[in-house]
Each structure stands twice: as structure tokens, then as C-alpha cells.
Amino acid sequence: MLTEERQHLILKQLEEQKAVKVIELTELLGASESTIRRDLNYLDQQGKLVKVHGGATVKEQSMTAVEYDMTTKSALNLSEKQRIAQYSASLIEKDDFVYIDAGSTTEYMIDYIEQPAEYVTNGISHARKLAMKGFRVHLLGGEYKLATEAIIGIEAVRSLSAYHFTKAFMGTNGISIVGGFSTPDTQEACVKGEAIHRAYQAYVLADHTKFNMDSCITFAKLKEAQILTDQKPAQNYEDYTVVKEV
């Protein structure tokens, strides 16, 4: 049995039972204890389970209300964000009408955009970078939020009501099967939700640390957007939406 296949079966068994023992896995998979322990060590390092004495358990759901500033967020999981950003930019075609949400991964995305599509954003730095690349860009009106450098609030939501996007690229603070896509700010959540509803195709750009995390406000259900990530989670999110590992 290939390593990838064996590890997939371990995660499937863990999803069903919530906890597994090494001895049970050796019997189920026909592998040695040392092989199973190596698999569990690797999957633990990848953040897909929690290794415990004699076996493993599922990674528990977490709750966060923390909102880092853009400087801090931009430095977190940098290589993963850049990989997601590069792939996301490749999805844009020249005739698209694109919404780009404020956020660190979506800002990195602009570095890789080549298509002269038309763009709308609520990110101040995003608008500047798009304009400097020679693209036509529209900036939403509304309240300026310093921490995320985003335009938020009811005026921004009203601005969005006139638009119909071919594609929307969104950021998120948390992703979970129960809580969907979430963020800690109510006004920012309203803008995110409206942008997704106005898009023919919506993509949420999220590195692997965002999975199994709930923030304060849900702005969309999983079925409302595809997920672009650097690493798929152990839980089967693909039962609810498209998850693309890039």
C-alpha cells in the first residue's frame, strides 16, 4: 500500500471514530507499528491530527476573535500565501469583472495578475497596487478600518449593490464545517457576504491554518464559495464545497 493511500485511510478512520490506536491501525492496514507511528508523526506535523500516547485524535475546533493588523498578517505563512495568490491570479481572464477583497493573501495576488480585467476592491493598498499596474480599478466608498486597511460598513454594502462580478476573491479569518467562512467584524462580514452574493464565481483564499477555526461572524456558507488553499484539511470539507490544493 502506498504511503499516501495509507495516510488517507488513517484520516478517514479518524474522522469516523474521532480517536484511533496504533495497534488498531496496524491490524486494519496490515502495516508495522513503526510505519504507523511514522505516519502519525507526519500527519501531526502537517496539522491534520493530534498525536497522543498510543494513537491519535482529531484536531479540535478552535475559536478566534483576534484581528491582526496587515503588517502582522502579511508576514504569517508567507510562502503558503504567495503560492495561493499566484494560482488565484492565474484564474483571471481579460474580460472578467473582478472583486478583490481586502486582506493579506488577496494583496499578494495582485503581484501575479497579468490580465487587464476590470477590478473592484475595498482594500486601499489593493486599489493603489492595481492602479500602479495600469489596471482600471474601482474603490468602494464607506468607513475606513485601519487594522485591515479595508473600506467597510453600510455605504460599502450599498456600493456593491450595483455590481455583478464574474469572479470574487475573498479573505477569511476562519473556516469550519459548521460555521462556514467567518470574520470577527460585523461590518466587514456584511461587505464580504454581499461581494460573494454578487459574484458568479467566488473563491476564498486561505492557508491551512484557517481550517477548523471559527471567528465571531459567519459571512458565507461553505457552499457559496470554492476554497483555494496550500493544504487540504483532514476533515472532508469537499462534501460541502470545492477545495483546491495549489
Side-chain angles (χ1 to χ4, degrees):
M1 184 182 294
L2 296 174
T3 300
E4 292 80 4
E5 182 182 0
R6 190 175 59 249
Q7 291 175 355
H8 173 76
L9 291 173
I10 290 173
L11 293 174
K12 189 171 187 285
Q13 190 75 2
L14 188 59
E15 187 175 347
E16 293 173 356
Q17 297 183 189
K18 308 306 178 187
V20 293
K21 295 181 179 179
V22 171
I23 189 65
E24 294 173 346
L25 294 173
T26 60
E27 295 173 359
L28 176 67
L29 303 175
S32 67
E33 286 193 21
S34 59
T35 297
I36 295 299
R37 292 185 193 281
R38 281 197 301 271
D39 287 337
L40 295 182
N41 282 331
Y42 174 78
L43 292 169
D44 179 77
Q45 291 168 4
Q46 294 295 305
K48 294 186 176 183
L49 53 73
V50 177
K51 188 176 180 296
V52 296
H53 181 69
T57 63
V58 293
K59 191 172 183 180
E60 294 182 358
Q61 196 78 8
S62 299
M63 175 70 190
T64 179
V66 176
E67 182 74 280
Y68 296 112
D69 59 50
M70 281 293 290
T71 301
T72 302
K73 287 198 292 186
S74 295
L76 297 173
N77 306 303
L78 178 58
S79 62
E80 291 90 341
K81 289 180 177 181
Q82 290 176 328
R83 190 159 79 247
I84 297 166
Q86 185 172 16
Y87 177 81
S88 301
S90 74
L91 298 176
I92 298 174
E93 300 173 294
K94 67 178 182 178
D95 294 325
D96 276 332
F97 186 45
V98 180
Y99 181 79
I100 300 181
D101 187 29
S104 56
T105 309
T106 52
E107 183 172 1
Y108 285 127
M109 177 184 166
I110 299 170
D111 297 334
Y112 301 101
I113 293 176
E114 297 179 356
Q115 295 292 350
E118 191 162 348
Y119 298 91
V120 178
T121 184
N122 70 324
I124 297 293
S125 59
H126 297 46
R128 182 176 62 253
K129 290 178 70 172
L130 286 164
M132 289 178 67
K133 294 191 74 167
F135 301 139
R136 187 175 183 188
V137 56
H138 306 266
L139 181 62
L140 298 185
E143 178 186 345
Y144 176 62
K145 181 180 176 182
L146 179 60
T148 56
E149 299 179 16
I151 303 298
I152 62 171
I154 190 63
E155 291 177 63
V157 174
R158 287 172 179 162
S159 297
L160 283 166
S161 66
Y163 296 122
H164 302 278
F165 306 111
T166 56
K167 297 182 176 83
F169 296 90
M170 311 298 300
T172 189
N173 291 72
I175 305 174
S176 75
I177 289 173
V178 174
F181 303 110
S182 56
T183 191
D185 187 286
T186 302
Q187 293 192 73
E188 199 154 8
C190 291
V191 176
K192 288 176 181 286
E194 183 67 15
I196 286 178
H197 294 156
R198 293 281 163 185
Y200 178 69
Q201 292 178 300
Y203 303 92
V204 172
L205 286 55
D207 67 74
H208 64 277
T209 64
K210 301 294 181 68
F211 286 99
N212 302 322
M213 295 285 290
D214 281 318
S215 196
C216 303
I217 312 295
T218 294
F219 62 85
K221 297 178 181 178
L222 292 181
K223 67 180 181 180
E224 295 181 85
Q226 298 181 36
I227 302 172
L228 305 179
T229 187
D230 63 294
Q231 182 180 298
K232 290 183 180 180
Q235 286 79 1
N236 196 9
Y237 280 77
E238 289 173 299
D239 286 345
Y240 303 89
T241 190
V242 174
V243 182
K244 173 68 176 177
E245 183 176 317
V246 303

